[in-house]
Structure formats: C-alpha cells, structure tokens
Amino acid sequence: MSASDGRIEAAISRTLRTGVLVSVVLLVAGLALGIADGTLRDDSPDGAAVVLITLGLVALVITPMVRVLASTVIYWRSRDRVYLTFTLAVIALLALSVLLGATA
Amino acid sequence: MGFLRCNGRVTPLLFVLCAFALSIAGGLVGSLVGLGGGIVVVPALTILLGVDIRLAIAASTIAVIATSSGAAAAYTRDRLSNLRVAMFLEVATVAGGISGALVAGFVAPSILNAVFAAVLLVAAVTMLRTRHDATAVPASDLADRLQLHGSYPDRATGTEIAYQVGRPRTGFGIMYFAGITSGMLGIGGGVFKVPAMDLAMRLPIKVSTATSNLMIGVTATGAAVIYLARGDIEPFIAAPVALGVLIGAAVGARVMPHLDGTVVRRLFVVVLLVTAAQMAGKV
C-alpha cells in the first residue's frame, strides 16, 4: 500500500457517495411527481417526471465512470505510471464499447 | 407473502412499490456476494411482475450499477475493496466485454449457456471445498511490482488481516473471459469475477466480493449507456429498482464487515448454483 492509496480510497468513496446522492434526489423527485401528476397512472412517455427520472438514471450510470476519472487524476498527480495506464485503458475501452454499441 | 399479489394485473402504483420492495432484497444479496443483484431483480420482474425480459435485463444493468455504487462507497471507505486489484482487472473485464459483444452473433446462445452452467457448477463445488491457508498463496513478481497485496480490518474478529495476492496473470485471463461472457449474454459475467479472485488469486472471500462489487459498476456502464440511448430503460421500472437496490446495497455494506467469511462464501455458492440452474434451464 503506497501513500497515494489512502487518498484514492477517500476520493473514490466521496465520488460514489455524491453520485448516489444526486441520483437518489432526482429519482425520488421524479417518482413523487409521477405519482402526483398522473404520469405514472397514464404511463405517459413524456413530462417532467420522466425527465427527472432519466436525469437520475444518467447520474447513476456515469458515477462509476467519474470514479475511474477521479482515480486517473490522482494516479497522474502521484506519477504512478502503471496505474495511470490501467485507468486510461479502461476509459478508452469503455468509450470504444459505447461507440461500437451506438453504431451496431 | 404479499409480494405474490404483484403477479397479474396490478395498479401502476402497486407495481412501483412491489418493484421497489423486491429490489431491496436484490441489492442486499448483490452487495454481499459481489454481483449486481440481477439474479434477484430479473426473475422478480419477469416472473412476479410480468415484465418483458428485454426491459427486465435493461433494468437489471441499472440494478448492477446501483448495487456497485451503493455498496462500494462503504466498502472502499472500510478498505474492504482492493482498489489496485480492481483497477488492474477492470482492464481485462472491459476489454472482454467488447470482444464478447463483437463475437456474440457467431456462437449459439444455447451452447454458451450449457458451457457456463457447467463452469459455474465446478466453481461452486471447488469454492465450497477450498479452505484457504495464507501461506499457500503462490509468490508472484508481478503482484509484488503492482503492489497488489493488502490488508483489511475484520470486524468479525476485530483484527487487521494482511493477505498476499497470487497468480495475477491467471486472474487477468479469467477476468477477460468473465468480460466476454457478460458481453455475449448481457448478464452473468459477475459470477466469474469472485471465483477468479478467490480460487486463482487467493484473495480473502470478503475482499473478493467487495472488489467484484466495485468492478461490476464499470463493466455494466458500457451496456447501460447503450440501453439508455436506445430507450430500453423504462423510467417507472428503473426508478423503483434503482432506489430499492441502493437501499438494499447500503444495508448489505453495513452488515458485511461483521459477517464471518464462511457465511459470505456459502451465500456466494448458493447464488452460483442458482445462476447455473438458470443457465442450464435456457439450454
């Protein structure tokens, strides 16, 4: 365990907690609105409730990516070349998988 | 069994409440065994709530990410996850996921399911019989150089437990295979991650499931982005699933440090056997 590991653990834990919190607030607000305004009952595909829920899901989905990005920054700063390479490879491969999926 | 009333015709509000309640169980189990909770969420949605399998699988990728982020914040803070092992192995799982998606059309799913069911059965039996001995971990120059070894505070015994990591190359190879399976089948890749860390790399079982838990979020992100873009993720299914799973995972992450490793191992083996049976059923 090197000196940078403690900082990375704290940063990752904080990143994940923040992402989850933002997502929960948006999802709860969207669900509550959907129940209140009838969007849920009518199964309507649009409206503010659906927008809020979608934003909440987007926040949830990008949280692991933000976690990798945060680790990349810390490895960069602590000049840990090997782990910087690993995190950059993960980011590049994830981008590639999204591009391949998007065009498939 | 109030949940069973969810079956058949239900009001949208009751559906949301049932999906939420069932997902709490999914998040709890998923966070303890290091899988996404899809093993609970997919059957719960399709069998109990009558959701189309395509929408259920899309919602379960959301459940995987929710389990991962919901529990990993605590596992990382408690130093139960091995971050270096996770960062190292993520390269293999993400690369495997792409390979799997590319070759998915060329192999019959029934053959894949049969092979994976057999592999999971062998892994389950092996994991149940294995009794770990810290001195038995094979030395590895690569593991030394990557500083993969670590330690974690075990609340069950109140001690700090140091461990060595062995066979990083074998673990990396199995992770690539695990990534291929998740890319080809859409689900199920997570079940190979824990056996790879447990049997090949000899991580303590709680570290294996906590580290797998951290990795599955990243592995599922690629698929989730694609499902979101395609509109396969139904908001009023995904929202209660995500919230329920987040609550279940938060509870699971609080319970885990106090659990005995043997309990976690047995729970994982049960989940492995259930997954093997599900895959065998699709052959």
Side-chain angles (χ1 to χ4, degrees), chain B residues 1 5 11 38 52 100 109 119 154 160 163 166 173 186 208 216 241 249 261 269 276:
Chain B
M1 291 299 288
R5 268 181 241 130
T11 65
D52 182 75
V119 173
D154 192 61
E160 180 84 11
Y163 57 88
S208 293
I216 54 173
V241 164
V269 169

Side-chain angles (χ1 to χ4, degrees), chain B residues 29-262:
Chain B
V29 175
S31 61
L32 292 177
V33 297
L35 311 177
I39 189 170
V40 175
V41 169
V42 173
L45 288 176
T46 54
I47 298 166
L48 295 180
L49 294 173
V51 172
D52 182 75
I53 182 75
R54 193 175 56 90
L55 295 177
I57 289 175
S60 94
T61 64
I62 292 292
V64 172
I65 297 174
T67 311
S68 176
S69 297
Y75 288 153
T76 310
R77 189 195 55 222
D78 295 344
R79 291 189 294 114
L80 216 49
S81 309
N82 186 319
L83 289 185
R84 286 177 174 265
V85 168
M87 306 274 178
F88 169 61
L89 295 178
E90 270 165 10
V91 180
T93 57
V94 179
I98 294 176
S99 314
L102 289 177
V103 298
F106 300 101
V107 184
S110 64
I111 294 173
L112 282 177
N113 280 316
V115 172
F116 296 150
V119 173
L120 289 178
L121 201 60
V122 173
V125 172
T126 317
M127 282 189 66
L128 205 56
R129 292 170 65 186
T130 308
R131 283 286 171 272
H132 279 176
D133 179 358
T135 58
V137 177
S140 159
D141 286 348
L142 183 61
D144 294 345
R145 218 164 343 122
L146 294 176
Q147 302 173 52
L148 294 179
H149 315 300
S151 68
Y152 73 100
D154 192 61
R155 301 254 177 87
T157 57
T159 51
E160 180 84 11
I161 297 176
Y163 57 88
Q164 298 282 306
V165 176
R167 300 195 197 88
R169 287 180 191 83
T170 310
F172 196 87
I174 299 175
M175 277 311 150
Y176 179 71
F177 173 75
I180 290 181
T181 63
S182 46
M184 290 178 102
L185 296 176
I187 48 165
V191 290
F192 294 100
K193 292 188 172 83
V194 175
M197 284 184 277
D198 182 75
L199 297 172
M201 301 174 76
R202 294 301 182 99
L203 291 166
I205 184 73
K206 285 159 74 170
V207 177
S208 293
T209 61
T211 305
S212 168
N213 194 83
L214 182 66
M215 287 194 287
I216 54 173
V218 167
T219 318
T221 298
V225 169
I226 291 161
Y227 285 135
L228 268 177
R230 277 193 204 152
D232 280 350
I233 296 181
E234 180 66 39
F236 289 111
I237 299 175
V241 164
L243 288 171
V245 165
L246 283 170
I247 290 172
V251 173
R254 274 175 189 270
V255 172
M256 170 91 130
H258 302 281
L259 285 182
D260 187 77
T262 317

Side-chain angles (χ1 to χ4, degrees), chain B residues 259-272:
Chain B
L259 285 182
D260 187 77
T262 317
V263 175
V264 178
R265 178 177 293 274
R266 287 195 184 133
L267 183 63
F268 183 80
V269 169
V270 169
V271 171
L272 219 51

